[in-house]
Amino acid sequence: MFKMKRICHLIFRLLFLLDGGVWSLRNLSITVPRAVYSGEGQSALLQCSYDLEGAPLYSIRWYRAETEFYRYVPREMPPSMVFPLPGASVDLDQSDRNQVRIVNMNRQLSGDYQCEVSADAPLFHTDIRSAPLTVVDPPFRAPQISISEDVYSRGDVLRANCSVDESYPVPNITWIIDDHKVAETVSWTSELDFKERSAFSQIAISIEDAEPYRMGITYTSSSLNRVYHNPYYDEKKLNHDVIQYTLVPPPTGQFSLECASTIYDLYSRKSEPVYIRMADAPYPAPRSRSVTGDESSGVRRSSKALLTLVSAITSVYLTL
Ligand SMILES: *[C@@H]1O[C@H](CO)[C@@H](O)[C@H](O)[C@H]1NC(C)=O
Ligand SMILES: *[C@@H]1O[C@H](CO)[C@@H](O)[C@H](O)[C@H]1NC(C)=O
Ligand SMILES: *[C@@H]1O[C@H](CO)[C@@H](O)[C@H](O)[C@H]1NC(C)=O
């Protein structure tokens, strides 16, 4: 038993060595921004850190989607070597054995980036790390909400759409009720396709009857309602899943609905809020118990307006 273990251990060590193991190349890690904007002057700094434990460096190679675009070989003169990138270039002044800066990003450069480090003779230990980067062309405008009606009764179903202009990648769309995130449409991004696409999310909110012990907005579930949408495959069908949501309106009988489009941590924009009112009396009404409570405040508003008008006329009269 003991012998077996030792043999296994030896074989393991041998394989590790043959595989170009870790004995003189440690802690290789890559740091790539998850997303950057596209455009002239937009750049991305990719970093690669490693510990050769005193062994000399043979080369650093950077790849985008398996194609090498930058190589650093300290023995060569000059040590840096650049291979063409579609539409962009490498800033040689800011590229060396630890980093590479790509300038003039465009969305065709989205994809997986890899850093490969090789130690020099005699062992040539080599290791590689990969990380994704997306070059973003954001939507031109803020997302827009369209809604069937803005006055509801309890028992109604409110249907709303949030639409987002063409962008790359397709943003996630979040629904926000009275400043709470309630639901989200998550979009897929295929790095093989660099097209800009528009997106939308649909929500159906069932407005429930309030019960005295369930006042205020209550949510159907504690976690976010999520719908996963792949814009690359069901674009033609356009049969989006509609997010189903149930809420008990707050005692004021009014709530706001907003949507936001987000692209990673880089971009986030909210729509104008839409205010939704209940046609029936708030339950229970804050002070008075009848519908006339609302109407009388309307009357009060108009008499106030009249008063302002009268005082304006008076002041005009007085200056004359
Ligand atoms: C490198 O890795 C070792 C373990 O493999 C760890 O103890 C050490 O803190 C790491 N060093 C750095 C600088 O990350
Ligand atoms: C939401 O969008 C769908 C699909 O474009 C459309 O059929 C529906 O009428 C829209 N609803 C609203 C409330 O705008
Ligand atoms: C969308 O949301 C999902 C889940 O939270 C996340 O993994 C993904 O990175 C987001 N995509 C974008 C484009 O922000």
Side-chain angles (χ1 to χ4, degrees), residues 222-285:
S222 53
S223 63
L224 219 55
N225 294 30
R226 267 207 183 119
V227 164
Y228 293 90
H229 167 57
N230 188 341
Y232 301 90
Y233 295 111
D234 53 347
E235 194 173 31
K236 288 200 185 76
K237 286 192 280 164
L238 276 180
N239 68 334
H240 258 276
D241 290 307
V242 178
I243 296 168
Q244 302 294 330
Y245 196 73
T246 306
L247 78 79
V248 176
T252 56
Q254 178 173 306
F255 59 90
S256 67
L257 181 66
E258 292 166 288
C259 68
S261 56
T262 57
I263 300 174
Y264 303 112
D265 290 337
L266 188 70
Y267 170 91
S268 178
R269 238 173 129 183
K270 264 194 199 174
S271 68
E272 288 291 325
V274 169
Y275 295 98
I276 292 139
R277 284 185 299 119
M278 296 296 119
D280 44 353
Y283 184 90

Side-chain angles (χ1 to χ4, degrees), residues 39-65:
E40 293 272 314
Q42 295 288 344
S43 71
L45 182 67
L46 320 184
Q47 290 168 302
C48 191
S49 73
Y50 47 89
D51 182 358
L52 285 167
E53 299 192 310
L57 173 69
Y58 174 65
S59 70
I60 304 285
R61 288 160 197 255
W62 281 91
Y63 303 86
R64 187 198 74 89

Side-chain angles (χ1 to χ4, degrees), residues 140-178:
F140 183 64
R141 292 178 305 168
Q144 313 275 315
I145 291 188
S146 65
I147 194 161
S148 38
E149 314 261 347
D150 53 13
V151 178
Y152 291 87
S153 300
R154 290 177 168 78
D156 282 354
V157 176
L158 181 168
R159 289 172 200 285
N161 278 359
C162 176
S163 59
V164 179
D165 289 343
E166 290 197 337
S167 71
Y168 181 87
V170 174
N172 288 345
I173 300 174
T174 309
W175 288 96
I176 301 154
I177 294 178
D178 278 351

Side-chain angles (χ1 to χ4, degrees), residues 96-144:
D96 57 25
R97 61 173 70 216
N98 291 113
Q99 64 180 46
V100 55
R101 185 181 288 279
I102 305 173
V103 291
N104 301 335
M105 297 300 285
N106 63 72
R107 59 179 188 271
Q108 274 75 19
L109 291 173
S110 300
D112 281 332
Y113 283 77
Q114 293 171 302
C115 165
E116 186 186 66
V117 178
S118 303
D120 209 339
L123 291 173
F124 293 108
H125 291 312
T126 292
D127 204 357
I128 190 159
R129 290 288 179 278
S130 173
L133 181 153
T134 302
V135 184
V136 174
D137 276 312
F140 183 64
R141 292 178 305 168
Q144 313 275 315

